[in-house]
């Protein structure tokens, strides 16, 4: 039924004067950290299709999420992506996208695009309804619970043009989640080829989020004994960061043994390779349909993941492995085989799409377009990026490679200082070294200023944060 509805919508639109615009394929992966792409420096992970995009496009190697206000960091990341707004200027938690926050698909629909979605929507259903005119195999939720099918038989919705989406309409679909979402996208691309209307296809994979159950052959691609431990591997986190008992951290027992971490990484890499294969199928369909040369392709991640780094498994922390994400753009006007190291946020994707498509940016959008750095690799970027997690953790990272984190947990104030130039894996805390006092004072002040700038409700100038 959804295909018939889409065909009617597309055929009807052919009689309307449409702009001669490029298509947009926006792919979002789930819990994929920045350093899990073969073509960007990790030879242990097989990602040939993302590697091909890296060669064909421009990769931003220092893309960040801003964090979250509860353990389900996927939700605010998606709100920031869709609205182009920072963490503390969402709805309060990032779970809902208010109607006055214009979303990417809304802007493109107004410009004459057909908007399509498949996969994960971890925000309110009302915002999904107003965003997309077509879709299939839609997942409203955070993760595929093993008790109700896991990745192997996920509970999904068909697209409902009425926008009702009662839970009774949800049903299990046989097949691996990533394959199902890729199938839905390929069907849409084939139907969109029949019309001369440009499209936005939002493909939101639920992998490599746990449960870490990669299908064959990807489950056999990585043996734990062949996977390297991360340089910042620890058996336990060295202090209480305030959320050591969150769901992600309860997936495996303590201490994190080397064997355990290798097992988890092998499964994690298998899931990433499976997602990569599905991305390849979608790109092949674009090429077969003659749409590839006129499609802006963006691949990004919602947040990272520890998987054994710093004695952690989850993403509820402010270390590089959890805050940095992949971000690759390819297509018309995007330079090929180039990288940019400017500090950027995921909510910069919205204004980037708008500028590339020559669309006026809604007043609600606060991100910065990446086009300035795509066009000029030497253009200076942000001087710093700001991080937040719940009311427990705050952090700042500067363009010249310094990083300062603060924690307030049950009245205990803990601080960290890292020189990422010499210590990219954050293994040497310099907080007690008096030779860095001037740097620390500067970063503390910068953290307070950035916290205020981004509307953080916490007062980081209070005595408990500066003692």
């Amino acid at each position: 039924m959804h295909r018939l509805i889409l065909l009617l919508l597309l055929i009807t639109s052919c009689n309307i004067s449409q702009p001669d615009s490029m298509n947009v394929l926006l792919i979002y992966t789930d819990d994929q950290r920045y350093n899990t792409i073969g073509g960007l420096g990790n030879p242990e992970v097989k990602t040939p299709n993302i590697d091909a995009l890296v060669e064909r496009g421009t990769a931003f190697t220092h893309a960040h999420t801003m964090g979250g206000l509860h353990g389900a960091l996927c939700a605010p990341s998606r709100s920031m992506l869709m609205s182009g707004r920072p963490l503390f200027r969402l709805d309060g938690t990032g779970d809902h996208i208010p109607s006055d926050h214009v979303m990417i698909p809304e802007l493109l629909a107004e410009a004459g695009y057909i908007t399509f979605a498949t996969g994960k929507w971890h925000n309110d259903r009302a915002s999904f309804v107003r965003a997309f005119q077509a879709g299939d195999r839609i997942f409203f939720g955070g993760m595929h619970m093993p008790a109700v099918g896991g990745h192997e038989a996920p509970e999904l919705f068909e697209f409902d043009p009425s926008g009702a989406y009662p839970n009774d309409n949800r049903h299990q679909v046989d097949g691996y989640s990533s394959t199902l979402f890729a199938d839905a996208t390929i069907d849409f691309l084939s139907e969109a080829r029949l019309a001369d209307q440009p499209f936005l296809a939002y493909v939101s994979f639920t992998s490599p989020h746990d449960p870490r159950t990669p299908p064959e052959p990807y489950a056999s691609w990585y043996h734990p004994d062949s996977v390297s431990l991360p340089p910042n591997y620890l058996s336990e986190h060295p202090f209480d960061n305030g959320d050591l008992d969150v769901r992600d951290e309860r997936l495996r027992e303590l201490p994190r043994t080397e064997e355990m971490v290798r097992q988890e990484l092998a499964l994690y890499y298998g899931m990433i390779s499976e997602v990569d294969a599905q991305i390849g199928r979608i790109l092949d369909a674009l090429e077969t349909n003659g749409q590839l040369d006129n499609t802006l392709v963006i691949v990004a991640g919602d947040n990272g993941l520890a998987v054994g780094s710093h004695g952690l498994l989850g993403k509820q922390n402010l270390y590089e492995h959890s805050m940095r994400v992949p971000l690759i753009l390819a297509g018309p006007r995007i330079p090929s085989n180039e990288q940019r190291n400017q500090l950027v946020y995921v909510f910069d994707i919205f204004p980037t799409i708008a500028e590339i498509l020559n669309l006026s940016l809604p007043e609600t959008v606060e991100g910065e377009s990446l086009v300035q750095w795509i066009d000029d690799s030497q253009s200076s970027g942000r001087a710093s990026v700001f991080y937040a997690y719940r009311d427990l953790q705050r952090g700042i990272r500067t363009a010249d490679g310094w990083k300062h984190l603060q924690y307030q947990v049950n009245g205990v104030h803990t601080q960290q200082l890292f020189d990422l130039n010499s210590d990219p894996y954050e293994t040497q805390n310099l907080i007690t070294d008096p030779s860095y006092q001037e740097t620390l004072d500067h970063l503390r002040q910068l953290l307070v200023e950035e916290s205020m700038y981004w509307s953080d409700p916490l007062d980081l100038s209070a005595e408990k944060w500066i003692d």
Side-chain angles (χ1 to χ4, degrees):
M1 179 61 70
H2 77 281
R3 296 182 189 177
L4 177 59
I5 293 170
L6 176 57
L7 280 170
L8 290 174
L9 183 58
L10 288 167
I11 292 170
T12 301
S13 71
C14 291
N15 299 319
I16 304 173
S17 177
Q18 300 295 342
D20 182 16
S21 302
M22 70 180 76
N23 307 309
V24 180
L25 172 63
L26 176 55
I27 297 173
Y28 220 41
T29 60
D30 198 347
D31 282 8
Q32 183 179 3
R33 67 188 187 194
Y34 75 99
N35 57 355
T36 57
I37 295 171
L40 291 176
N42 189 339
E44 292 190 355
V45 186
K46 301 174 185 177
T47 53
N49 297 291
I50 299 178
D51 294 351
L53 275 180
V54 170
E55 292 181 4
R56 196 166 68 83
T58 298
F60 282 81
T61 59
H62 288 75
H64 300 76
T65 182
M66 190 175 270
L69 302 178
H70 52 58
L73 291 157
C74 309
S77 176
R78 285 160 164 71
S79 289
M80 287 186 273
L81 169 74
M82 281 290 147
S83 67
R85 295 175 65 82
L87 178 63
F88 292 109
R89 297 182 196 137
L90 301 172
D91 74 324
T93 63
D95 293 350
H96 296 77
I97 305 176
S99 59
D100 61 340
H101 293 186
V102 179
M103 293 182 288
I104 296 172
E106 289 182 292
L107 179 66
L108 270 60
E110 185 178 345
Y113 279 67
I114 177 71
T115 60
F116 166 89
T118 185
K120 178 173 176 174
W121 188 260
H122 201 188
N123 303 110
D124 59 302
R125 299 182 190 186
S127 60
F128 179 89
V129 170
R130 75 174 197 267
F132 299 104
Q133 304 153 328
D136 191 23
R137 293 175 177 170
I138 302 152
F139 176 64
F140 293 119
M143 61 174 287
H144 300 302
M145 304 300 292
V148 285
H151 283 284
E152 293 79 7
E155 290 193 328
L156 306 176
F157 287 88
E158 294 181 359
F159 183 76
D160 184 350
S162 75
Y165 295 106
N167 284 335
D168 289 346
N169 287 359
R170 180 178 56 196
H171 60 282
Q172 280 189 293
V173 182
D174 289 334
Y176 201 79
S177 63
S178 307
T179 303
L180 295 171
F181 302 148
D183 288 347
T185 307
I186 292 167
D187 288 345
F188 166 77
L189 295 176
S190 298
E191 293 157 353
R193 183 170 55 89
L194 301 177
D196 52 7
Q197 183 181 19
F199 62 79
L200 162 69
Y202 175 53
V203 186
S204 182
F205 289 109
T206 48
S207 187
H209 195 297
D210 68 277
R212 286 189 267 276
T213 55
E216 293 294 351
Y218 312 100
S220 299
W221 278 15
Y222 304 94
H223 191 279
D225 291 343
S226 67
V227 173
S228 299
L229 284 173
N232 48 16
Y233 159 78
L234 291 174
S235 60
E236 296 188 45
H237 195 259
F239 58 88
D240 185 359
N241 69 6
D243 228 353
L244 294 179
D245 196 40
V246 71
R247 188 204 68 88
D248 289 28
E249 300 302 337
R250 287 187 273 109
L251 291 175
R252 295 296 301 265
E253 64 278 6
L254 286 169
R256 319 293 192 198
T257 66
E258 294 187 6
E259 180 183 18
M260 175 203 304
V261 170
R262 292 180 193 275
Q263 290 171 349
E264 292 299 315
L265 282 171
L267 295 170
Y268 183 56
Y269 291 168
M271 296 190 74
I272 290 171
S273 291
E274 192 274 337
V275 168
D276 176 82
Q278 303 311 319
I279 291 173
R281 292 180 59 221
I282 294 170
L283 295 176
D284 287 347
L286 274 177
E287 186 169 24
T288 298
N289 294 342
Q291 300 162 324
L292 184 62
D293 291 341
N294 195 40
T295 299
L296 172 65
V297 180
I298 301 174
V299 175
D302 64 347
N303 47 250
L305 203 64
V307 202
S309 294
H310 292 103
L312 304 170
L313 291 179
K315 62 259 187 184
Q316 295 82 5
N317 59 83
L318 305 183
Y319 295 115
E320 296 286 282
H321 49 68
S322 297
M323 303 307 293
R324 284 173 62 184
V325 296
L327 176 54
I328 304 156
L329 298 90
R333 79 161 289 181
I334 306 298
S336 61
N337 201 26
E338 295 196 14
Q339 297 180 22
R340 302 289 184 265
N341 62 7
Q342 286 88 350
L343 302 179
V344 303
Y345 289 112
V346 292
F347 57 85
D348 294 332
I349 292 173
F350 189 158
T352 304
I353 292 173
E355 182 169 358
I356 290 174
L357 299 183
N358 197 28
L359 299 175
S360 297
L361 200 63
E363 293 181 357
T364 54
V365 176
E366 300 187 51
E368 295 186 33
S369 172
L370 304 177
V371 170
Q372 58 188 313
W373 302 306
I374 291 172
D375 290 346
D376 181 5
S377 63
Q378 302 304 312
S379 177
S380 59
R382 287 186 174 86
S384 62
V385 287
F386 171 75
Y387 312 123
Y389 178 62
R390 294 180 58 186
D391 60 353
L392 303 167
Q393 306 173 21
R394 293 294 184 270
I396 195 82
R397 183 239 163 93
T398 62
D400 60 357
W402 287 98
K403 186 167 181 178
H404 175 47
L405 302 180
Q406 294 201 30
Y407 307 78
Q408 265 293 339
V409 180
N410 298 322
V412 177
H413 185 210
T414 305
Q415 300 185 70
Q416 293 172 305
L417 175 66
F418 300 111
D419 179 358
L420 299 178
N421 297 297
S422 59
D423 179 27
Y425 292 99
E426 301 160 294
T427 62
Q428 302 295 320
N429 185 7
L430 305 174
I431 199 70
T432 60
D433 190 329
S435 62
Y436 297 104
Q437 187 62 48
E438 185 176 347
T439 298
L440 178 60
D441 290 343
H442 167 69
L443 291 172
R444 282 173 169 167
Q445 181 59 35
L446 183 60
L447 179 61
V448 171
E449 293 172 359
E450 288 292 286
S451 171
M452 295 174 63
Y453 176 81
W454 293 111
S455 303
D456 183 358
L458 291 185
D459 180 7
L460 299 189
S461 66
E463 183 176 355
K464 68 177 183 178
W465 286 98
I466 60 176
D467 61 355

